[in-house]
Amino acid sequence: MKFKKNILCIGAGYVGGPSMAMIAYKCPDCRVTVVDINPARIDAWNSAELPVYEPGLDEIIKKTRGKNLFFAKDIENKIKENDIIFVSVNTPTKTFGTGAGMAADLQFLEKTARQILEHSQSPKIVIEKSTLPVKTALAMERILASAKGKITFEVLSNPEFMAEGTAMADLEKPDRVLIGSRQTESGLKARAELVDIYARWVPAEKIIISNIWSSELSKLVANAFLAQRVSSINSISALCEKTDADISEVARAVGMDSRVGSKFLKAGIGFGGSCFKKDILNLVYLCSYYGLQEVADYWESVVKINEYQQDRFIASILGSMFNTLAGKKICILGFSFKADTGDTRESPAIYIARKLLAEHAQVVISDPKALKNAAIDLASDKGKITYIEDPYSAASGCHALAILTDWELYRKLDFQKIYKSMVQPAFIFDGRNIIDHKKCFDIGFNVYPIGKPALSRFEDQSSV
Ligand code: NAD
Ligand code: UGA
């Protein structure tokens, strides 16, 4: 079959896989190919067990794979065969050299640009889908321009705003699709090609265009604003615990102001995930680079509050369990950074588990989708760690439960049954405020929510 457009995506990760599956699904007249330098990842995309757990993804893959969606390993040929190339490689925080711990590591992006340059035999539209520091397109253009006029490349910015766990719904009904381009004739033409793809299913008013730098910067700023809301509500949760105010009531009252809005005001153990921290640090680094130290400090505080929230949670466990955890068994319910994903990158659970192990607690980890990743994350940590998927078996014989992920299944657990199988006095630390605290207290638990008065049978000994 002859396809109208041939689209390639370099990088078959959490973004590349789902976003290209959606394009293939919505554009049956386009051939979409996804490549990766990691052959195991491509094998997994071609197997029954996809490398990414995302509600609704399986169905879309079943409908498209082998028809107009392909996962392939020969990057070289695929670059040759396709005209539109999305770049969705990882852009983690740099761990070495200048900007270590803050700046984005652009080595994978640069390698990709060089691969595109080396193997292209015809003009290409190259689309930045990865999250990048503002002005990266300039570097990309400079690398691609070294083709010395033989082949033309047009670089566009089209950042991805999907969230894990809701990726398919976000991709199908995005709040907006942002496309940044150069304002040249060829830039506008390339932009029109990309608009044409999204216009198949995204309403015209939701496809927004901008200059290329605004597009790159908007992605970092969008994440910084979202993370800032989480840190703002978490900072107030600390004050609630001191004053008998209830963070859920405060969040509801504040969020009902339409100028504020109700989303992203759930207090918890702090944000995790592969992007918020890295993107804010990237923004902080950019501000420092441009000499805007006050602005850098302002955004860095969002990350600091996030770390403070996790430390507070651990202090609460230690303080309320009589200041010693040595030899006690703590059951961690949920290890992924949020519900409906198996992703544990930057999950607060990693930090919390490590702190518990440092107190010589025995840690039992339960999660419906993230146990494999949890075992990898903690592979080199010393101490007694066990992994048990079934929450009832995991909780049995434990002194405390720490709820770290907002999985729906934890709301519905039979806490009476769990209580009976635990060592007394039994504790629950609800790091996500998802269970019925009063009911659990009445069963016999000592219950410690976030930003609400503790329901405890003991004097307040915690240092929170
Ligand atoms: P990921 O690590 O899951 O996937 C990136 C993939 O790129 C990996 O499989 C890696 O092997 C591959 N890769 C790296 N260099 C390559 C090369 N030279 N050639 C071919 N393949 C190469 O990362 P991700 O979570 O999909 O994120 C990708 C980008 O999208 C990042 O910039 C991230 O900030 C951004 N983003 C992520 C999300 C999210 O929810 N995860 C959402 C929006 C934006
Ligand atoms: C986030 C953004 O929401 C996406 O728009 C963006 O595309 C993506 O980052 C990215 O660039 O990678 P994601 O990290 O997948 O998506 O998940 P979120 O739903 O944003 O949750 C992030 C963290 O904040 C989670 O740990 C979550 O539990 C926490 N959170 C979120 C709260 O603690 N409270 C809230 O009210 C909301």
Side-chain angles (χ1 to χ4, degrees):
M1 173 174 170
K2 180 121 181 60
F3 290 101
K4 226 176 177 178
K5 287 187 206 287
N6 292 310
I7 299 170
L8 178 68
C9 177
I10 303 183
Y14 285 86
V15 169
S19 62
M20 292 304 121
M22 187 55 70
I23 291 182
Y25 179 55
K26 297 291 182 182
C27 310
D29 57 345
C30 295
R31 184 185 66 183
V32 183
T33 308
V34 190
V35 291
D36 202 288
I37 33 162
N38 178 353
R41 214 156 203 195
I42 294 300
D43 287 337
W45 279 110
N46 281 323
S47 76
E49 206 179 314
L50 302 179
V52 167
Y53 169 69
E54 203 51 74
L57 176 63
D58 272 36
E59 289 88 321
I60 303 254
I61 292 281
K62 268 185 208 138
K63 285 181 183 152
T64 51
R65 195 173 55 190
K67 293 190 184 100
N68 68 330
L69 176 66
F70 303 91
F71 293 93
K73 295 176 189 169
D74 55 336
I75 303 181
E76 223 179 283
N77 279 320
K78 296 304 166 199
I79 290 173
K80 285 188 188 122
E81 289 167 12
N82 289 279
D83 323 307
I84 299 176
I85 304 179
F86 286 92
V87 178
S88 183
V89 298
N90 39 328
T91 51
T93 304
K94 226 177 144 187
T95 54
F96 54 89
T98 308
M102 298 293 262
D105 184 348
L106 298 178
Q107 62 170 309
F108 306 105
L109 185 92
E110 172 153 356
K111 239 173 247 163
T112 308
R114 292 187 188 281
Q115 280 172 312
I116 295 173
L117 175 68
E118 192 182 338
H119 303 299
S120 292
Q121 294 175 344
S122 56
K124 313 276 180 206
I125 297 173
V126 179
I127 304 159
E128 299 175 340
K129 194 157 255 318
S130 298
T131 303
L132 301 164
V134 56
K135 291 283 176 185
T136 304
L138 193 59
M140 188 89 150
E141 285 171 347
R142 283 181 179 154
I143 293 169
L144 295 171
S146 46
K148 296 194 185 73
K150 278 179 282 175
I151 299 166
T152 53
F153 295 95
E154 200 56 54
V155 178
L156 299 176
S157 162
N158 170 221
E160 183 50 67
F161 293 104
M162 54 148 255
E164 288 177 35
T166 53
M168 301 322 285
D170 295 344
L171 288 163
E172 186 152 32
K173 284 198 164 83
D175 282 352
R176 78 305 209 182
V177 166
L178 174 60
I179 303 174
S181 69
R182 291 284 193 176
Q183 307 303 302
T184 56
E185 197 188 330
S186 57
L188 299 179
K189 198 167 157 245
R191 186 181 79 191
E193 278 245 24
L194 188 54
V195 167
D196 179 56
I197 293 173
Y198 285 111
R200 313 288 185 91
W201 77 98
V202 181
E205 68 277 11
K206 297 214 164 176
I207 303 177
I208 56 172
I209 50 171
S210 74
N211 84 36
I212 200 158
W213 320 125
S214 308
S215 175
E216 287 179 332
L217 185 57
S218 298
K219 173 63 201 179
L220 290 185
V221 175
N223 273 357
F225 269 61
L226 289 170
Q228 181 201 43
R229 285 174 70 91
V230 177
S231 277
S232 296
I233 203 71
N234 282 342
S235 74
I236 300 302
S237 75
L239 185 58
C240 285
E241 287 166 27
K242 294 280 184 202
T243 57
D244 286 341
D246 179 319
I247 195 64
S248 304
E249 293 174 357
V250 173
R252 187 169 59 130
V254 173
M256 276 178 78
D257 186 323
S258 59
R259 293 166 301 177
V260 177
S262 62
K263 292 180 183 163
F264 263 69
L265 287 180
K266 265 189 243 131
I269 44 173
F271 56 79
S274 60
C275 294
F276 276 1
K277 187 175 169 194
K278 95 166 158 66
D279 293 348
I280 297 169
L281 292 175
N282 185 344
L283 186 65
V284 170
Y285 186 74
L286 277 167
C287 294
S288 299
Y289 176 84
Y290 287 107
L292 306 170
Q293 202 48 48
E294 286 78 359
V295 187
D297 294 345
Y298 174 73
W299 286 107
E300 195 170 7
S301 70
V302 172
V303 176
K304 285 191 180 145
I305 288 289
N306 202 50
E307 288 159 1
Y308 165 74
Q309 189 73 351
Q310 290 165 28
D311 287 335
R312 262 172 24 82
F313 186 71
I314 293 150
S316 162
I317 297 181
L318 185 61
S320 37
M321 291 181 75
F322 321 117
N323 291 309
T324 176
L325 300 179
K328 291 181 183 165
K329 252 174 121 179
I330 316 264
C331 173
I332 291 183
L333 290 177
F335 206 83
S336 57
F337 80 98
K338 63 183 283 196
D340 293 322
T341 176
D343 194 353
T344 60
R345 292 179 292 178
E346 293 291 339
S347 176
I350 300 175
Y351 183 74
I352 291 166
R354 287 197 174 131
K355 287 284 179 181
L356 295 176
L357 290 168
E359 292 292 338
H360 293 185
Q362 298 178 30
V363 176
V364 183
I365 298 173
S366 190
D367 190 288
K369 294 285 175 197
L371 283 194
K372 256 193 213 161
N373 281 336
I376 296 169
D377 294 329
L378 300 177
S380 53
D381 285 273
K382 292 201 175 69
K384 190 147 178 22
I385 315 169
T386 38
Y387 302 92
I388 303 175
E389 189 175 324
D390 174 51
Y392 295 99
S393 318
S396 175
C398 287
H399 296 72
L401 307 176
I403 302 175
L404 303 191
T405 309
D406 46 345
W407 285 105
E408 191 56 31
L409 79 105
Y410 297 148
R411 284 181 213 279
K412 299 176 187 151
L413 289 175
D414 179 346
F415 284 100
Q416 181 76 56
K417 180 174 157 187
I418 289 179
Y419 180 73
K420 280 194 204 140
S421 73
M422 289 178 66
V423 177
Q424 307 304 329
F427 296 81
I428 298 183
F429 300 92
D430 184 0
R432 297 291 188 164
N433 284 346
I434 54 168
I435 59 165
D436 186 333
H437 300 134
K438 173 79 173 55
K439 197 169 154 193
C440 287
F441 178 68
D442 290 343
I443 287 171
F445 282 105
N446 297 291
V447 187
Y448 293 81
I450 299 270
K452 297 167 190 269
L455 298 170
S456 168
R457 290 169 177 78
F458 307 111
E459 292 272 300
D460 181 13
Q461 300 168 55
S462 79
S463 50
V464 183

